Amino acid sequence: MEVGQMQRTWIEYTKSLFSEGFLDAQFTQLQLLQDESNPDFVVEVVSLFFEDSERLLNDLTRALDQPIVDFKKVDAHVHQLKGSSSSIGAQRVKNACIGFRNFCEQQNAEACLRCLQQVKQEYYLVKNKLETLIRLEQQIVAAGGSVPMEELSF
Amino acid sequence: MASSSSSSSSCAMGFDFDEKPHVLAVDDSLVDRKVIERLLINSACKVTTAENGKRALEFLGLADGQPPKNADFKVNMIITDYCMPGMTGYELLKRIKESPNMKEVPVVVVSSENIPTRIKQCLEEGAQEFLLKPLGPSDVTKLRCQINKLKNPCQEMLCMGI
């Protein structure tokens, strides 16, 4: 596949991630922070987000599995996940966390478990999408091209 | 690198060309530390990050039993998250404002939650600003201008919006 084709694929794919609500403007901010002096910034932040989220999802699973659920602890974990997903622009994960926190406040264990499932689902979806996006970018660069950030108009 | 350039012309420029402002960024979130660090570096700042209030105090020489930092040590601004385990950003702010050495350093509190009582509490305790997360380049440009103005109060500085 030639570079122009790859670039067009990247543009279409990126646009779809925004129009489907997976990513929001904060992700664009991160892309704009990347430059020649720091060409791996987005990959690094995204990797940190993956590590952080997986740890938090494990903690949440464990916390909700206790015979007596400590809702304050659950809420603290969800708050953290909401924060990091917001910072990276993972909009659907962030929104799932907002609902989750409401149920923590209500101390509704069953609803919290449903929310956890939803958050996990959204997380794995966006993880998959971001990995695909990064792979596309790496292919473009490997073929000698550059990622056409300027083609994204918002 | 200890630069002992004289400051007799400091009113003409906010900083000597090789002296970037030094910002301490405190946040328990690894993702957020990474992002704020990049935002600040892109705004021509030197950045130190700390993962909690305790580490921040240690860095500033304000931990219990620590000797104060010497005159070479310079921090131009502290940006701290509000919600942190152990010591909140508010508690950190208080400790900084209580210290004779560091109380003049502007402290900016950031939070993902827009809670008016929280904002009021921080501003009353002497916070320079209270900003909502996620921070963007325009927030950092604003902070950069404030650093310049504080360093150079004798002259109105045009903000170049680096």
Side-chain angles (χ1 to χ4, degrees), chain B residues 83-100:
Chain B
C83 276
M84 293 189 293
M87 184 187 291
T88 64
Y90 173 71
E91 286 158 356
L92 176 59
L93 164 69
K94 275 179 76 171
R95 287 287 292 267
I96 292 167
K97 291 301 166 189
E98 280 162 10
S99 113

Side-chain angles (χ1 to χ4, degrees), chain A residues 101-113:
Chain A
R101 289 194 81 192
N102 289 336
F103 290 119
C104 288
E105 219 179 308
Q106 294 170 28
Q107 308 214 345
N108 184 335
E110 230 183 86
C112 282
L113 277 167

